[in-house]
Amino acid sequence: MKQAGDTTLIAKLKWRTKRVAYLLQRMRASVALRGWRGTASRIAEEFRSLPETDESLQLLPLDVSFTPFALPCAASPRVSIIIPVHGKLPYTLACLRSLAAQAGDIPFEVVVVDDASPDDSANTLSQIEGLRLLINTSNLGFVGSCNAGAAIARGEYLLFLNNDTQVTAGWLDALLSCFQEQPDCGIAGSRLVYPDGRLQEAGGLIFSDGSCWNVGRFESRDALAWQYRREVDYVSGASLMIPGKLFEAIGGFDEHYAPAYYEDADLAFAVRETGRRVFYVPSSVVIHCEGISAGTDPHGGMKRYQTINQAVFTEKWAAQLAHHPAPRRPADLAVRWRTRGRILVVDAAAPDPSRDSGSLRLVEILRLLVDQGWSVAFYPDDGRRSRDDTARLGTIGVEILNLPKTTHLPRWLALHGKTLDAVMLCRHTVAGQYAHLVRQSAPRARLIFDTVDLHFLREQRASEVSGQTVMARQSTASRQSELELIAFCDITFVVSNDEKSLLKQLLPNASIELLSNIHRPHSCPRPHSGRKDVVFIGGQGHPPNVDAMRWIANDIAPLLQQAAPDMTVHLLGDVSEVLRRELTTDGVTIHGRVADLAPWMEGCIASLAPLRFGAGVKGKINMSMSYGLPVIATGLAAEGMHLRHDEDVLLAENPADFVHAVLRLRDDEALWQRISTSSLSNVEQHFSPEIAASTLRRVLG
């Protein structure tokens, strides 16, 4: 007869055997996904000695005495935050305090569903002002409690949040922005972080057998690889936002997955059946104490339903899962399986639209590529990337590469070149470095040279204005290198038809495509009356701008002061202290770079473009016209922009002409209105995102 101790020992051995088998299974899966080196790194990371909490996350403590507090509760909430709870009161209270501390400006309500908690949760939570508390008479589990909370929610959007979470600044705004920026977004989920600071999940991946993978698990939470918004198979129900009407239309969480597990994956699949997509939003950061609610043992407690419900899920979605990656497909390929292909874009520096028009154009190109379904990686050749750069590109779905200075791009191309379908190299200084390397490392990639503007043409014109022989020699060298690159690459982008025609004459067999500046037309809210002053947009990083600013300060502004002493020329753009002192004169105000151009676009009477050399299409003109602000420009500045004097633009070639044009626009409201209306029409007809999108589709197929 077995003794009680023998029975206990046998049970422990069985449990340990199952646990070892489970860990071996996970390790085999990890090797398939990450390789041996990645798996070893993953194991080392999991068992690395770390403090329980990362102080930089500023987690609220659990061991505090309860004192009643208040939560925001909007009369007409935009978002209903639904939190199911079953005991674990200290975690729930910390979660609610974090919601109060990070309330932000979005009107929301908090609905807590007490799922027959075994502790004093209901009594304590009832003392929190603004909290909507729903008490289940019997235990419904996570699925039933979420559905019950959704049934009484009043918000346009539902946000399901685990009670063992704490939220961070801007988390709710980021999720809501995803729906505003992605019209087909059906679900948006947060970047989940462990209390010790490591990444828990950057979206979820589901393989053809229904098994799931927490992307990025145990990696650095700030790894650039997980800081860009992207479409995913599913997001965790620990922090998941969905439109209320959509949730209702698909019947909420499927009760077949009660009490929990796979309900979030199932919801994602049901949402995709409606034509919507599921997005991971890295700028929404939520700290999640995983395992507090359900434990971590895959064979016991709530966690055992993970295996049970995988079978339910796999049977239900068998047809869809057939298109998913095989279980052993490497993770770096599997995470991009929904994309059309992978594109690498390289420019001299990370784009900043507030800095220059080239950056604005590049950001729009990157946005269009993502919209067309491409996985886009960007590399700044100067090796610099700030948090703002990462966030700016990440928000539109672009991965910015983080390459050590010791390896840079050649090493990355050697490792990943065969995964690339296209490479776009911007500017001849960048393309000259990497074009041949791309051919070797990425043999199947379409090689694109984006000229931005023809450097040799700009330098040639600068030499003609300055009379410098050094500049003339530089122009000759640039011409040779640019033409060689154009002949070598598969496709070349230029920004104007004039440049396209010139290159077709010089290189008849080259494939030249027009991809001009890209601007989204704004409204023109302020009429002619009430406007005053003129504006120039451009920083000193571009030589034609420096020449134009000097021309304004030395010749145009003095004449304007004589004719209209109450008018000021506003200079907007980067200016060094040395140049600022040189440009300081009566009638000129130097603002430097500004975050928002709108106050000047909507308040000035005209925009000046007094460029005496340069090439390409002028972003300063496009930008002004996109606001319906009339432009006064030289013929060279207006080159290739489909502009007609006295219809879309006023042309001027000397200081007196510029001043005369300013006075005309000031005194003739009908003229101002005609050019304003034509300006907006010109942008829509020649420089809209739709035109650029069509070119990209044609070139990339």
Side-chain angles (χ1 to χ4, degrees), residues 230-262:
R230 71 186 198 286
E231 186 179 2
V232 294
D233 292 344
Y234 78 102
V235 296
S236 169
S239 178
L240 180 157
M241 180 181 280
I242 182 172
K245 290 183 178 178
L246 177 60
F247 187 75
E248 181 182 4
I250 61 180
F253 286 118
D254 189 338
E255 298 283 352
H256 286 96
Y257 298 97
Y261 288 108
Y262 272 88

PDB file of all heavy atoms in Angstrom, residues 230-262:
ATOM      1  N   ARG A 230       3.562  48.575 -36.251  1.00  0.00           N
ATOM      2  CA  ARG A 230       3.456  47.618 -37.354  1.00  0.00           C
ATOM      3  C   ARG A 230       2.234  46.732 -37.165  1.00  0.00           C
ATOM      4  O   ARG A 230       1.709  46.596 -36.049  1.00  0.00           O
ATOM      5  CB  ARG A 230       4.716  46.757 -37.461  1.00  0.00           C
ATOM      6  CG  ARG A 230       4.881  45.761 -36.359  1.00  0.00           C
ATOM      7  CD  ARG A 230       6.231  45.037 -36.433  1.00  0.00           C
ATOM      8  NE  ARG A 230       6.209  43.828 -35.652  1.00  0.00           N
ATOM      9  CZ  ARG A 230       6.249  43.786 -34.334  1.00  0.00           C
ATOM     10  NH1 ARG A 230       6.335  44.919 -33.647  1.00  0.00           N
ATOM     11  NH2 ARG A 230       6.213  42.639 -33.692  1.00  0.00           N
ATOM     12  N   GLU A 231       1.798  46.129 -38.273  1.00  0.00           N
ATOM     13  CA  GLU A 231       0.685  45.190 -38.221  1.00  0.00           C
ATOM     14  C   GLU A 231       1.180  43.872 -37.632  1.00  0.00           C
ATOM     15  O   GLU A 231       2.265  43.395 -37.963  1.00  0.00           O
ATOM     16  CB  GLU A 231       0.118  44.949 -39.616  1.00  0.00           C
ATOM     17  CG  GLU A 231      -1.129  44.088 -39.615  1.00  0.00           C
ATOM     18  CD  GLU A 231      -1.715  43.872 -41.001  1.00  0.00           C
ATOM     19  OE1 GLU A 231      -1.127  44.360 -41.990  1.00  0.00           O
ATOM     20  OE2 GLU A 231      -2.763  43.199 -41.085  1.00  0.00           O
ATOM     21  N   VAL A 232       0.376  43.285 -36.750  1.00  0.00           N
ATOM     22  CA  VAL A 232       0.747  42.034 -36.079  1.00  0.00           C
ATOM     23  C   VAL A 232      -0.410  41.052 -36.153  1.00  0.00           C
ATOM     24  O   VAL A 232      -1.533  41.414 -36.522  1.00  0.00           O
ATOM     25  CB  VAL A 232       1.136  42.288 -34.601  1.00  0.00           C
ATOM     26  CG1 VAL A 232       2.408  43.106 -34.517  1.00  0.00           C
ATOM     27  CG2 VAL A 232       0.004  42.977 -33.850  1.00  0.00           C
ATOM     28  N   ASP A 233      -0.134  39.813 -35.769  1.00  0.00           N
ATOM     29  CA  ASP A 233      -1.185  38.795 -35.784  1.00  0.00           C
ATOM     30  C   ASP A 233      -2.212  39.043 -34.681  1.00  0.00           C
ATOM     31  O   ASP A 233      -3.412  38.847 -34.875  1.00  0.00           O
ATOM     32  CB  ASP A 233      -0.580  37.403 -35.623  1.00  0.00           C
ATOM     33  CG  ASP A 233       0.250  36.992 -36.829  1.00  0.00           C
ATOM     34  OD1 ASP A 233       0.116  37.632 -37.885  1.00  0.00           O
ATOM     35  OD2 ASP A 233       1.034  36.035 -36.716  1.00  0.00           O
ATOM     36  N   TYR A 234      -1.723  39.443 -33.509  1.00  0.00           N
ATOM     37  CA  TYR A 234      -2.637  39.767 -32.414  1.00  0.00           C
ATOM     38  C   TYR A 234      -1.877  40.607 -31.390  1.00  0.00           C
ATOM     39  O   TYR A 234      -0.639  40.724 -31.455  1.00  0.00           O
ATOM     40  CB  TYR A 234      -3.194  38.505 -31.749  1.00  0.00           C
ATOM     41  CG  TYR A 234      -2.229  37.819 -30.802  1.00  0.00           C
ATOM     42  CD1 TYR A 234      -2.358  37.969 -29.422  1.00  0.00           C
ATOM     43  CD2 TYR A 234      -1.181  37.024 -31.290  1.00  0.00           C
ATOM     44  CE1 TYR A 234      -1.463  37.351 -28.551  1.00  0.00           C
ATOM     45  CE2 TYR A 234      -0.306  36.405 -30.436  1.00  0.00           C
ATOM     46  CZ  TYR A 234      -0.434  36.567 -29.062  1.00  0.00           C
ATOM     47  OH  TYR A 234       0.441  35.964 -28.211  1.00  0.00           O
ATOM     48  N   VAL A 235      -2.593  41.221 -30.463  1.00  0.00           N
ATOM     49  CA  VAL A 235      -1.978  41.906 -29.327  1.00  0.00           C
ATOM     50  C   VAL A 235      -2.594  41.340 -28.056  1.00  0.00           C
ATOM     51  O   VAL A 235      -3.735  40.876 -28.051  1.00  0.00           O
ATOM     52  CB  VAL A 235      -2.165  43.436 -29.378  1.00  0.00           C
ATOM     53  CG1 VAL A 235      -1.459  44.024 -30.585  1.00  0.00           C
ATOM     54  CG2 VAL A 235      -3.639  43.815 -29.370  1.00  0.00           C
ATOM     55  N   SER A 236      -1.853  41.385 -26.980  1.00  0.00           N
ATOM     56  CA  SER A 236      -2.313  40.815 -25.723  1.00  0.00           C
ATOM     57  C   SER A 236      -3.513  41.570 -25.168  1.00  0.00           C
ATOM     58  O   SER A 236      -3.587  42.801 -25.234  1.00  0.00           O
ATOM     59  CB  SER A 236      -1.173  40.855 -24.697  1.00  0.00           C
ATOM     60  OG  SER A 236      -1.655  40.533 -23.406  1.00  0.00           O
ATOM     61  N   GLY A 237      -4.436  40.796 -24.585  1.00  0.00           N
ATOM     62  CA  GLY A 237      -5.589  41.398 -23.919  1.00  0.00           C
ATOM     63  C   GLY A 237      -5.221  42.148 -22.664  1.00  0.00           C
ATOM     64  O   GLY A 237      -6.089  42.756 -22.028  1.00  0.00           O
ATOM     65  N   ALA A 238      -3.922  42.158 -22.295  1.00  0.00           N
ATOM     66  CA  ALA A 238      -3.490  42.930 -21.126  1.00  0.00           C
ATOM     67  C   ALA A 238      -3.662  44.421 -21.363  1.00  0.00           C
ATOM     68  O   ALA A 238      -3.838  45.195 -20.419  1.00  0.00           O
ATOM     69  CB  ALA A 238      -2.031  42.615 -20.794  1.00  0.00           C
ATOM     70  N   SER A 239      -3.615  44.863 -22.625  1.00  0.00           N
ATOM     71  CA  SER A 239      -3.875  46.264 -22.982  1.00  0.00           C
ATOM     72  C   SER A 239      -4.268  46.296 -24.453  1.00  0.00           C
ATOM     73  O   SER A 239      -3.407  46.314 -25.340  1.00  0.00           O
ATOM     74  CB  SER A 239      -2.651  47.144 -22.734  1.00  0.00           C
ATOM     75  OG  SER A 239      -2.908  48.488 -23.130  1.00  0.00           O
ATOM     76  N   LEU A 240      -5.548  46.286 -24.715  1.00  0.00           N
ATOM     77  CA  LEU A 240      -6.086  46.124 -26.072  1.00  0.00           C
ATOM     78  C   LEU A 240      -7.244  47.098 -26.281  1.00  0.00           C
ATOM     79  O   LEU A 240      -8.190  47.113 -25.496  1.00  0.00           O
ATOM     80  CB  LEU A 240      -6.548  44.683 -26.258  1.00  0.00           C
ATOM     81  CG  LEU A 240      -7.150  44.225 -27.571  1.00  0.00           C
ATOM     82  CD1 LEU A 240      -6.999  42.702 -27.702  1.00  0.00           C
ATOM     83  CD2 LEU A 240      -8.620  44.584 -27.725  1.00  0.00           C
ATOM     84  N   MET A 241      -7.152  47.908 -27.335  1.00  0.00           N
ATOM     85  CA  MET A 241      -8.212  48.875 -27.655  1.00  0.00           C
ATOM     86  C   MET A 241      -8.927  48.462 -28.936  1.00  0.00           C
ATOM     87  O   MET A 241      -8.290  48.039 -29.904  1.00  0.00           O
ATOM     88  CB  MET A 241      -7.640  50.288 -27.808  1.00  0.00           C
ATOM     89  CG  MET A 241      -8.695  51.340 -28.143  1.00  0.00           C
ATOM     90  SD  MET A 241      -8.028  53.022 -28.361  1.00  0.00           S
ATOM     91  CE  MET A 241      -7.862  53.543 -26.663  1.00  0.00           C
ATOM     92  N   ILE A 242     -10.259  48.611 -28.944  1.00  0.00           N
ATOM     93  CA  ILE A 242     -11.086  48.256 -30.095  1.00  0.00           C
ATOM     94  C   ILE A 242     -12.307  49.178 -30.109  1.00  0.00           C
ATOM     95  O   ILE A 242     -12.825  49.523 -29.040  1.00  0.00           O
ATOM     96  CB  ILE A 242     -11.511  46.765 -30.022  1.00  0.00           C
ATOM     97  CG1 ILE A 242     -12.328  46.362 -31.255  1.00  0.00           C
ATOM     98  CG2 ILE A 242     -12.275  46.478 -28.733  1.00  0.00           C
ATOM     99  CD1 ILE A 242     -12.601  44.858 -31.313  1.00  0.00           C
ATOM    100  N   PRO A 243     -12.783  49.606 -31.282  1.00  0.00           N
ATOM    101  CA  PRO A 243     -14.025  50.387 -31.315  1.00  0.00           C
ATOM    102  C   PRO A 243     -15.189  49.592 -30.729  1.00  0.00           C
ATOM    103  O   PRO A 243     -15.344  48.391 -31.014  1.00  0.00           O
ATOM    104  CB  PRO A 243     -14.233  50.659 -32.811  1.00  0.00           C
ATOM    105  CG  PRO A 243     -12.872  50.528 -33.418  1.00  0.00           C
ATOM    106  CD  PRO A 243     -12.178  49.476 -32.622  1.00  0.00           C
ATOM    107  N   GLY A 244     -16.003  50.236 -29.917  1.00  0.00           N
ATOM    108  CA  GLY A 244     -17.105  49.552 -29.254  1.00  0.00           C
ATOM    109  C   GLY A 244     -18.081  48.909 -30.223  1.00  0.00           C
ATOM    110  O   GLY A 244     -18.535  47.770 -30.010  1.00  0.00           O
ATOM    111  N   LYS A 245     -18.413  49.603 -31.297  1.00  0.00           N
ATOM    112  CA  LYS A 245     -19.368  49.060 -32.263  1.00  0.00           C
ATOM    113  C   LYS A 245     -18.803  47.836 -32.977  1.00  0.00           C
ATOM    114  O   LYS A 245     -19.538  46.892 -33.297  1.00  0.00           O
ATOM    115  CB  LYS A 245     -19.764  50.137 -33.268  1.00  0.00           C
ATOM    116  CG  LYS A 245     -20.630  51.248 -32.673  1.00  0.00           C
ATOM    117  CD  LYS A 245     -21.064  52.249 -33.731  1.00  0.00           C
ATOM    118  CE  LYS A 245     -21.969  53.330 -33.136  1.00  0.00           C
ATOM    119  NZ  LYS A 245     -22.375  54.345 -34.137  1.00  0.00           N
ATOM    120  N   LEU A 246     -17.503  47.859 -33.238  1.00  0.00           N
ATOM    121  CA  LEU A 246     -16.876  46.705 -33.884  1.00  0.00           C
ATOM    122  C   LEU A 246     -16.883  45.510 -32.936  1.00  0.00           C
ATOM    123  O   LEU A 246     -17.173  44.373 -33.350  1.00  0.00           O
ATOM    124  CB  LEU A 246     -15.442  47.056 -34.293  1.00  0.00           C
ATOM    125  CG  LEU A 246     -14.612  45.929 -34.916  1.00  0.00           C
ATOM    126  CD1 LEU A 246     -15.265  45.396 -36.182  1.00  0.00           C
ATOM    127  CD2 LEU A 246     -13.191  46.421 -35.219  1.00  0.00           C
ATOM    128  N   PHE A 247     -16.571  45.735 -31.667  1.00  0.00           N
ATOM    129  CA  PHE A 247     -16.578  44.664 -30.669  1.00  0.00           C
ATOM    130  C   PHE A 247     -17.966  44.034 -30.578  1.00  0.00           C
ATOM    131  O   PHE A 247     -18.113  42.814 -30.531  1.00  0.00           O
ATOM    132  CB  PHE A 247     -16.159  45.233 -29.310  1.00  0.00           C
ATOM    133  CG  PHE A 247     -15.968  44.200 -28.234  1.00  0.00           C
ATOM    134  CD1 PHE A 247     -14.853  43.384 -28.213  1.00  0.00           C
ATOM    135  CD2 PHE A 247     -16.918  44.053 -27.229  1.00  0.00           C
ATOM    136  CE1 PHE A 247     -14.668  42.431 -27.215  1.00  0.00           C
ATOM    137  CE2 PHE A 247     -16.752  43.105 -26.228  1.00  0.00           C
ATOM    138  CZ  PHE A 247     -15.623  42.296 -26.224  1.00  0.00           C
ATOM    139  N   GLU A 248     -18.980  44.886 -30.600  1.00  0.00           N
ATOM    140  CA  GLU A 248     -20.362  44.387 -30.529  1.00  0.00           C
ATOM    141  C   GLU A 248     -20.724  43.609 -31.791  1.00  0.00           C
ATOM    142  O   GLU A 248     -21.373  42.556 -31.731  1.00  0.00           O
ATOM    143  CB  GLU A 248     -21.317  45.561 -30.331  1.00  0.00           C
ATOM    144  CG  GLU A 248     -22.777  45.161 -30.216  1.00  0.00           C
ATOM    145  CD  GLU A 248     -23.695  46.361 -30.057  1.00  0.00           C
ATOM    146  OE1 GLU A 248     -23.210  47.514 -30.109  1.00  0.00           O
ATOM    147  OE2 GLU A 248     -24.910  46.152 -29.900  1.00  0.00           O
ATOM    148  N   ALA A 249     -20.295  44.135 -32.954  1.00  0.00           N
ATOM    149  CA  ALA A 249     -20.664  43.508 -34.226  1.00  0.00           C
ATOM    150  C   ALA A 249     -20.099  42.093 -34.354  1.00  0.00           C
ATOM    151  O   ALA A 249     -20.737  41.216 -34.960  1.00  0.00           O
ATOM    152  CB  ALA A 249     -20.183  44.373 -35.384  1.00  0.00           C
ATOM    153  N   ILE A 250     -18.926  41.837 -33.805  1.00  0.00           N
ATOM    154  CA  ILE A 250     -18.339  40.503 -33.943  1.00  0.00           C
ATOM    155  C   ILE A 250     -18.677  39.609 -32.745  1.00  0.00           C
ATOM    156  O   ILE A 250     -18.186  38.484 -32.651  1.00  0.00           O
ATOM    157  CB  ILE A 250     -16.804  40.575 -34.135  1.00  0.00           C
ATOM    158  CG1 ILE A 250     -16.128  41.240 -32.928  1.00  0.00           C
ATOM    159  CG2 ILE A 250     -16.464  41.296 -35.410  1.00  0.00           C
ATOM    160  CD1 ILE A 250     -14.628  41.338 -33.079  1.00  0.00           C
ATOM    161  N   GLY A 251     -19.513  40.137 -31.848  1.00  0.00           N
ATOM    162  CA  GLY A 251     -19.995  39.309 -30.750  1.00  0.00           C
ATOM    163  C   GLY A 251     -19.120  39.281 -29.524  1.00  0.00           C
ATOM    164  O   GLY A 251     -19.281  38.404 -28.664  1.00  0.00           O
ATOM    165  N   GLY A 252     -18.151  40.255 -29.423  1.00  0.00           N
ATOM    166  CA  GLY A 252     -17.286  40.309 -28.253  1.00  0.00           C
ATOM    167  C   GLY A 252     -16.291  39.166 -28.220  1.00  0.00           C
ATOM    168  O   GLY A 252     -16.032  38.488 -29.229  1.00  0.00           O
ATOM    169  N   PHE A 253     -15.721  38.919 -27.044  1.00  0.00           N
ATOM    170  CA  PHE A 253     -14.820  37.780 -26.880  1.00  0.00           C
ATOM    171  C   PHE A 253     -15.632  36.487 -26.964  1.00  0.00           C
ATOM    172  O   PHE A 253     -16.698  36.369 -26.361  1.00  0.00           O
ATOM    173  CB  PHE A 253     -14.106  37.847 -25.528  1.00  0.00           C
ATOM    174  CG  PHE A 253     -13.015  38.885 -25.458  1.00  0.00           C
ATOM    175  CD1 PHE A 253     -13.104  39.940 -24.558  1.00  0.00           C
ATOM    176  CD2 PHE A 253     -11.900  38.805 -26.269  1.00  0.00           C
ATOM    177  CE1 PHE A 253     -12.103  40.888 -24.476  1.00  0.00           C
ATOM    178  CE2 PHE A 253     -10.889  39.752 -26.206  1.00  0.00           C
ATOM    179  CZ  PHE A 253     -10.993  40.802 -25.301  1.00  0.00           C
ATOM    180  N   ASP A 254     -15.114  35.523 -27.698  1.00  0.00           N
ATOM    181  CA  ASP A 254     -15.803  34.246 -27.889  1.00  0.00           C
ATOM    182  C   ASP A 254     -15.814  33.464 -26.576  1.00  0.00           C
ATOM    183  O   ASP A 254     -14.757  33.135 -26.014  1.00  0.00           O
ATOM    184  CB  ASP A 254     -15.083  33.448 -28.978  1.00  0.00           C
ATOM    185  CG  ASP A 254     -15.849  32.211 -29.406  1.00  0.00           C
ATOM    186  OD1 ASP A 254     -16.692  31.719 -28.629  1.00  0.00           O
ATOM    187  OD2 ASP A 254     -15.580  31.715 -30.522  1.00  0.00           O
ATOM    188  N   GLU A 255     -16.999  33.138 -26.103  1.00  0.00           N
ATOM    189  CA  GLU A 255     -17.154  32.438 -24.822  1.00  0.00           C
ATOM    190  C   GLU A 255     -16.588  31.017 -24.859  1.00  0.00           C
ATOM    191  O   GLU A 255     -16.409  30.395 -23.805  1.00  0.00           O
ATOM    192  CB  GLU A 255     -18.639  32.387 -24.428  1.00  0.00           C
ATOM    193  CG  GLU A 255     -19.287  33.744 -24.216  1.00  0.00           C
ATOM    194  CD  GLU A 255     -18.909  34.374 -22.883  1.00  0.00           C
ATOM    195  OE1 GLU A 255     -18.264  33.675 -22.066  1.00  0.00           O
ATOM    196  OE2 GLU A 255     -19.250  35.555 -22.659  1.00  0.00           O
ATOM    197  N   HIS A 256     -16.297  30.488 -26.039  1.00  0.00           N
ATOM    198  CA  HIS A 256     -15.700  29.158 -26.129  1.00  0.00           C
ATOM    199  C   HIS A 256     -14.305  29.120 -25.500  1.00  0.00           C
ATOM    200  O   HIS A 256     -13.774  28.039 -25.217  1.00  0.00           O
ATOM    201  CB  HIS A 256     -15.601  28.696 -27.589  1.00  0.00           C
ATOM    202  CG  HIS A 256     -16.922  28.308 -28.181  1.00  0.00           C
ATOM    203  ND1 HIS A 256     -17.689  29.172 -28.937  1.00  0.00           N
ATOM    204  CD2 HIS A 256     -17.627  27.150 -28.106  1.00  0.00           C
ATOM    205  CE1 HIS A 256     -18.791  28.557 -29.308  1.00  0.00           C
ATOM    206  NE2 HIS A 256     -18.786  27.329 -28.821  1.00  0.00           N
ATOM    207  N   TYR A 257     -13.704  30.314 -25.315  1.00  0.00           N
ATOM    208  CA  TYR A 257     -12.364  30.374 -24.738  1.00  0.00           C
ATOM    209  C   TYR A 257     -12.404  30.648 -23.233  1.00  0.00           C
ATOM    210  O   TYR A 257     -11.367  30.901 -22.624  1.00  0.00           O
ATOM    211  CB  TYR A 257     -11.523  31.444 -25.439  1.00  0.00           C
ATOM    212  CG  TYR A 257     -11.325  31.160 -26.900  1.00  0.00           C
ATOM    213  CD1 TYR A 257     -12.138  31.751 -27.858  1.00  0.00           C
ATOM    214  CD2 TYR A 257     -10.340  30.278 -27.331  1.00  0.00           C
ATOM    215  CE1 TYR A 257     -11.977  31.481 -29.206  1.00  0.00           C
ATOM    216  CE2 TYR A 257     -10.167  29.996 -28.675  1.00  0.00           C
ATOM    217  CZ  TYR A 257     -10.992  30.606 -29.610  1.00  0.00           C
ATOM    218  OH  TYR A 257     -10.821  30.330 -30.937  1.00  0.00           O
ATOM    219  N   ALA A 258     -13.598  30.612 -22.649  1.00  0.00           N
ATOM    220  CA  ALA A 258     -13.717  30.824 -21.211  1.00  0.00           C
ATOM    221  C   ALA A 258     -13.011  29.681 -20.465  1.00  0.00           C
ATOM    222  O   ALA A 258     -13.048  28.527 -20.934  1.00  0.00           O
ATOM    223  CB  ALA A 258     -15.187  30.900 -20.803  1.00  0.00           C
ATOM    224  N   PRO A 259     -12.364  29.973 -19.366  1.00  0.00           N
ATOM    225  CA  PRO A 259     -12.330  31.278 -18.702  1.00  0.00           C
ATOM    226  C   PRO A 259     -11.308  32.256 -19.299  1.00  0.00           C
ATOM    227  O   PRO A 259     -11.451  33.461 -19.164  1.00  0.00           O
ATOM    228  CB  PRO A 259     -11.967  30.920 -17.259  1.00  0.00           C
ATOM    229  CG  PRO A 259     -11.119  29.688 -17.392  1.00  0.00           C
ATOM    230  CD  PRO A 259     -11.719  28.926 -18.533  1.00  0.00           C
ATOM    231  N   ALA A 260     -10.238  31.728 -19.982  1.00  0.00           N
ATOM    232  CA  ALA A 260      -9.226  32.643 -20.518  1.00  0.00           C
ATOM    233  C   ALA A 260      -8.267  31.892 -21.438  1.00  0.00           C
ATOM    234  O   ALA A 260      -8.235  30.654 -21.460  1.00  0.00           O
ATOM    235  CB  ALA A 260      -8.453  33.294 -19.375  1.00  0.00           C
ATOM    236  N   TYR A 261      -7.467  32.685 -22.184  1.00  0.00           N
ATOM    237  CA  TYR A 261      -6.434  32.278 -23.132  1.00  0.00           C
ATOM    238  C   TYR A 261      -6.989  32.061 -24.543  1.00  0.00           C
ATOM    239  O   TYR A 261      -7.978  31.385 -24.742  1.00  0.00           O
ATOM    240  CB  TYR A 261      -5.655  31.039 -22.658  1.00  0.00           C
ATOM    241  CG  TYR A 261      -4.735  31.386 -21.511  1.00  0.00           C
ATOM    242  CD1 TYR A 261      -5.011  30.964 -20.222  1.00  0.00           C
ATOM    243  CD2 TYR A 261      -3.617  32.197 -21.719  1.00  0.00           C
ATOM    244  CE1 TYR A 261      -4.195  31.320 -19.164  1.00  0.00           C
ATOM    245  CE2 TYR A 261      -2.794  32.564 -20.665  1.00  0.00           C
ATOM    246  CZ  TYR A 261      -3.090  32.120 -19.384  1.00  0.00           C
ATOM    247  OH  TYR A 261      -2.299  32.487 -18.346  1.00  0.00           O
ATOM    248  N   TYR A 262      -6.276  32.671 -25.484  1.00  0.00           N
ATOM    249  CA  TYR A 262      -6.558  32.668 -26.910  1.00  0.00           C
ATOM    250  C   TYR A 262      -7.766  33.540 -27.271  1.00  0.00           C
ATOM    251  O   TYR A 262      -8.083  33.680 -28.446  1.00  0.00           O
ATOM    252  CB  TYR A 262      -6.737  31.242 -27.457  1.00  0.00           C
ATOM    253  CG  TYR A 262      -5.427  30.632 -27.894  1.00  0.00           C
ATOM    254  CD1 TYR A 262      -4.622  29.943 -26.994  1.00  0.00           C
ATOM    255  CD2 TYR A 262      -4.976  30.774 -29.207  1.00  0.00           C
ATOM    256  CE1 TYR A 262      -3.412  29.396 -27.379  1.00  0.00           C
ATOM    257  CE2 TYR A 262      -3.767  30.223 -29.609  1.00  0.00           C
ATOM    258  CZ  TYR A 262      -2.990  29.541 -28.691  1.00  0.00           C
ATOM    259  OH  TYR A 262      -1.794  29.013 -29.086  1.00  0.00           O
TER     260      TYR A 262
END
